[in-house]
Amino acid sequence: MFSFTVSNHIKSFIYPNPWSLSIGLLFVRFNCVLLLNHCLIKIVEYPNYYVKWLSPFSALSFLTCSFTIFTELVCTCFVFIGFLTRLALIPLIILMLITVFTIHDSETIGIRESSILYLLMYFVLIKTGPGLFSIDHLLKKRKKV
């Protein structure tokens, strides 16, 4: 009898039920909202900010700064509420790849750490989807009915 309960616990650890997995994905989505802090700084200081913006495409600093603000604001909000999550993650992943490998490429890992962590969270969400607690799930469930 003891081995039966241990094997059930191991099985539930290896194959979690959908609710516990969705709660974990919900916490990952909530952590993605921390990117809004960086976005709000850029919005408040926008007229002075895009002039000194370090653009990987040299002459297009206005466009890349605008793309960054749009991505950090709109796509992060979509990920947070779970609406078009996988589609919204594509620009966020592109932004973090540019940040890690172009903008902060010569700096230490401590500077790039937050960008790498965001990138890992985005890869987890694009692989698993938003989970049960999302608008995407509600739309999918409504479509089946």
Side-chain angles (χ1 to χ4, degrees):
M1 179 159 170
F2 180 72
S3 65
F4 178 75
T5 59
V6 169
S7 66
N8 281 343
H9 288 296
I10 291 173
K11 183 189 272 188
S12 68
F13 181 73
I14 294 174
Y15 304 109
N17 63 6
W19 286 95
S20 63
L21 183 64
S22 293
I23 289 172
L25 292 173
L26 183 68
F27 284 129
V28 170
R29 287 193 352 241
F30 284 172
N31 283 328
C32 293
V33 173
L34 297 174
L35 188 63
L36 287 177
N37 184 31
H38 300 286
C39 178
L40 294 177
I41 294 169
K42 291 178 186 114
I43 289 173
V44 169
E45 300 177 4
Y46 184 71
N48 299 325
Y49 203 77
Y50 82 87
V51 175
K52 60 182 178 180
W53 184 258
L54 179 62
S55 175
F57 307 112
S58 67
L60 302 173
S61 64
F62 172 75
L63 290 176
T64 56
C65 185
S66 301
F67 169 75
T68 302
I69 290 173
F70 169 79
T71 302
E72 288 179 355
L73 182 66
V74 175
C75 295
T76 301
C77 289
F78 278 7
V79 169
F80 175 68
I81 63 174
F83 180 65
L84 300 174
T85 307
R86 287 188 168 134
L87 187 64
L89 283 168
I90 293 171
L92 286 167
I93 288 174
I94 291 170
L95 179 69
M96 287 302 131
L97 285 172
I98 289 173
T99 303
V100 169
F101 294 114
T102 305
I103 305 299
H104 297 299
D105 64 339
S106 63
E107 297 181 12
T108 63
I109 193 73
I111 303 294
R112 296 188 289 178
E113 180 181 13
S114 63
S115 300
I116 293 170
L117 289 174
Y118 282 123
L119 191 59
L120 290 174
M121 284 191 294
Y122 297 152
F123 280 134
V124 166
L125 285 173
I126 208 161
K127 173 70 175 130
T128 59
L132 297 176
F133 306 114
S134 64
I135 295 176
D136 286 346
H137 179 72
L138 293 174
L139 292 174
K140 188 168 69 169
K141 192 163 66 168
R142 179 179 283 175
K143 195 175 185 179
K144 284 184 180 179
V145 173

